[in-house]
Amino acid sequence: MSEFKATLSDPFLADLEDLSDNEADLPNEDDMGVGNMEEDDDGEMADIEALNYDDLDSVSKLQKTQRYIDIMQKVEDALVKGSDMSNQGIVLEDDPEYQLIVDCNALSVDIENEIVIVHNFIRDNYRLKFPELESLVHHPIDYARVVKKIGNEMDLTLVDLEGLLPSAIIMVVSVTASTTSGKPLPEENLKKTVDACDRALALDLAKKKVLDFVESRMGYIAPNLSAIVGSAVAAKLMGTAGGLTALAKMPACNVQLLGAKKKNLAGFSTATSQFRVGYIEQTEIFQSTPPSLRMRACRILAAKSTLAARVDSTRGDPSGKTGRTLREEILKKIEKWQEPPPAKQPKPLPVPDSEPKKKRGGRRLRKMKERYAITDMRKLANRMQFGVPEESSLGDGLGEGYGMLGQAGNGKLRVSVGQSKLAAKVAKKFKEKQYGSSGATSGLTSSLAFTPVQGIELSNPQAHANQLGSGTQSTYFSEIGTFSKIKRT
């Protein structure tokens, strides 16, 4: 794995060394480098960047390296010859075809980086002509095709972009080009830009050849991964990750994002767009899943693909049976998600109990019944006399009805709210607690009475009680009276 990482960093180190070697040839290299790092507030940034990329060969050197030429020659020969099945008995790491696939994976990453460098060169040169195009077309290859198609034409109505971009993006590009502030490029700069576009397209074609070769050998290199996502997607995942070992060490959340592109919706809704999905969206399982379940399917595909890549990296199952088993699990889960929920069954009533239930009795239950018992007023309000309309709170039958309350012939002149037995008992207990059970008067009782005529008057509190206690009333209704004992003769 360390050798693969070293091969990835070699082109970048070579670029730095070549740039340092060419300092003597470029007289104003230091000044231009400083200008590239600092932003110019006067609007001359585009001119400085254009000076930095005068020569395309000084920034894009991958196609001239011997490593690139050798690998591409081997890939073309292998594509013409076809798959060699004679080496399937040896160890995978010792197979020269596997080593070529590993080199192709590393080269595909280098080609991707080289395309980005060439894209920056094209963008910085073409910014003088159409500065808004880079914000409308994000993909480097699409940008190179559009730039090559437009050229120095100022009226985009004369340029046919059909097939290069979606119709919505074409409309936005045409409208933006009519109001752009750019100016036509000089012939020399236009020629360099078109050559850079051709180089970017050639690099993209070479990358497709490498991926085609890797795809044709995926059944042997990664049979389990190919069984889940297909040979084409497996080759793209391996190429972007930098090899099967690097893909096996990658977490599933990152595998899901391999190949994800920045999408420009041109103002349209983002409700149906899949932003966090890479090459996995090209799989057959993803495309056959309903749109509402595609993100869940993408996550499970990424997880199972990671497991399959780990099995393939250790050559745990060369037959691919593990991959086919994982694919069946994915399909069963997606099918399970689409099943309707079970119908709600009617719940039958419980069997009635024939035995009489135990009913609670005693003082607590009697108190509760007395507390929540219906009053006489509510009983009359709930009753209606036949043939007699009841009165209501709002009249004409509107509002709350009074029932038989206040009607003639109900047997009562008026309904008086009587004190309940419980309330009477509580009041008696409170009185005994306050005055004592002996019936004596309270010690706070005063003999002074305030009258409006005489002012303060001294009165006898017992006089009124004696007056009330005279006669029959004192015998039957006295609070302090006792039973009289009658002696028989």
Side-chain angles (χ1 to χ4, degrees), residues 419-435:
Q419 191 177 25
S420 63
K421 295 180 181 180
L422 181 63
K425 194 171 183 180
V426 171
K428 185 177 179 182
K429 283 187 177 181
F430 178 75
K431 192 172 183 180
E432 289 178 359
K433 184 179 179 181
Q434 186 176 5
Y435 300 116

Side-chain angles (χ1 to χ4, degrees), residues 146-390:
V146 172
V147 169
K148 184 177 180 181
K149 189 75 173 180
I150 296 176
N152 235 358
E153 183 64 46
M154 298 300 295
D155 187 7
L156 288 193
T157 58
L158 304 177
V159 180
D160 184 18
L161 298 178
E162 196 71 31
L164 300 180
L165 296 173
S167 57
I169 305 296
I170 292 175
M171 180 180 63
V172 176
V173 169
S174 302
V175 173
T176 308
S178 61
T179 60
T180 184
S181 60
K183 299 178 181 179
L185 294 176
E187 288 297 329
E188 183 179 358
N189 290 350
L190 180 62
K191 184 177 183 302
K192 292 180 181 179
T193 305
V194 173
D195 292 342
C197 294
D198 293 336
R199 182 168 297 188
L201 296 177
L203 287 170
D204 184 63
L205 183 61
K207 181 184 175 183
K208 287 182 179 179
K209 285 185 179 180
V210 170
L211 291 179
D212 289 341
F213 166 72
V214 176
E215 178 184 348
S216 64
R217 305 300 191 270
M218 287 308 295
Y220 165 59
I221 301 299
N224 298 284
L225 181 62
S226 302
I228 297 177
V229 298
S231 300
V233 178
K236 292 178 182 179
L237 291 176
M238 284 181 55
T240 308
L244 184 59
T245 307
L247 182 63
K249 294 181 179 180
M250 191 174 293
C253 57
N254 293 351
V255 174
Q256 177 182 341
L257 300 179
L258 288 178
K261 301 176 184 177
K262 186 177 181 181
K263 298 182 180 180
N264 186 7
L265 300 177
F268 290 94
S269 173
T270 60
T272 58
S273 61
Q274 305 289 344
F275 279 103
R276 303 183 61 82
V277 179
Y279 291 130
I280 292 182
E281 69 177 351
Q282 302 175 12
T283 59
E284 179 186 356
I285 297 178
F286 185 89
Q287 295 296 329
S288 60
T289 305
S292 59
L293 301 175
R294 284 185 176 179
M295 287 307 299
R296 296 177 64 184
C298 180
R299 285 191 289 268
I300 192 174
L301 274 171
K304 300 300 183 182
S305 300
T306 305
L307 295 178
R310 291 167 184 172
V311 173
D312 290 330
S313 64
T314 58
R315 304 299 293 173
D317 186 11
S319 64
K321 183 179 179 181
T322 303
R324 290 189 293 271
T325 304
L326 294 175
R327 179 184 176 88
E328 291 297 327
E329 291 180 5
I330 296 172
L331 293 176
K332 286 181 180 179
K333 283 190 176 182
I334 297 176
E335 185 178 357
K336 184 69 175 178
W337 295 341
Q338 301 180 52
E339 291 181 359
K344 190 175 182 181
Q345 300 294 334
K347 188 176 181 181
L349 294 175
V351 178
D353 296 332
S354 58
E355 299 179 359
K357 294 183 179 180
K358 295 180 181 180
K359 295 183 179 179
R360 183 181 178 88
R363 181 173 56 88
R364 186 181 301 175
L365 183 64
R366 290 195 300 272
K367 283 185 179 181
M368 188 269 292
K369 286 184 177 180
E370 186 178 354
R371 189 177 298 114
Y372 294 103
I374 188 169
T375 61
D376 294 337
M377 293 183 65
R378 178 54 60 187
K379 287 179 181 179
L380 291 176
N382 291 341
R383 294 174 181 174
M384 288 185 64
Q385 193 172 0
F386 182 75
V388 179
E390 65 172 351

Side-chain angles (χ1 to χ4, degrees), residues 17-27 29 57-58 61:
E17 293 175 358
D18 292 336
L19 288 175
S20 61
D21 294 340
N22 293 333
E23 287 182 356
D25 300 335
L26 299 175
E29 184 74 22
D57 294 334
S58 63
K61 304 174 182 179

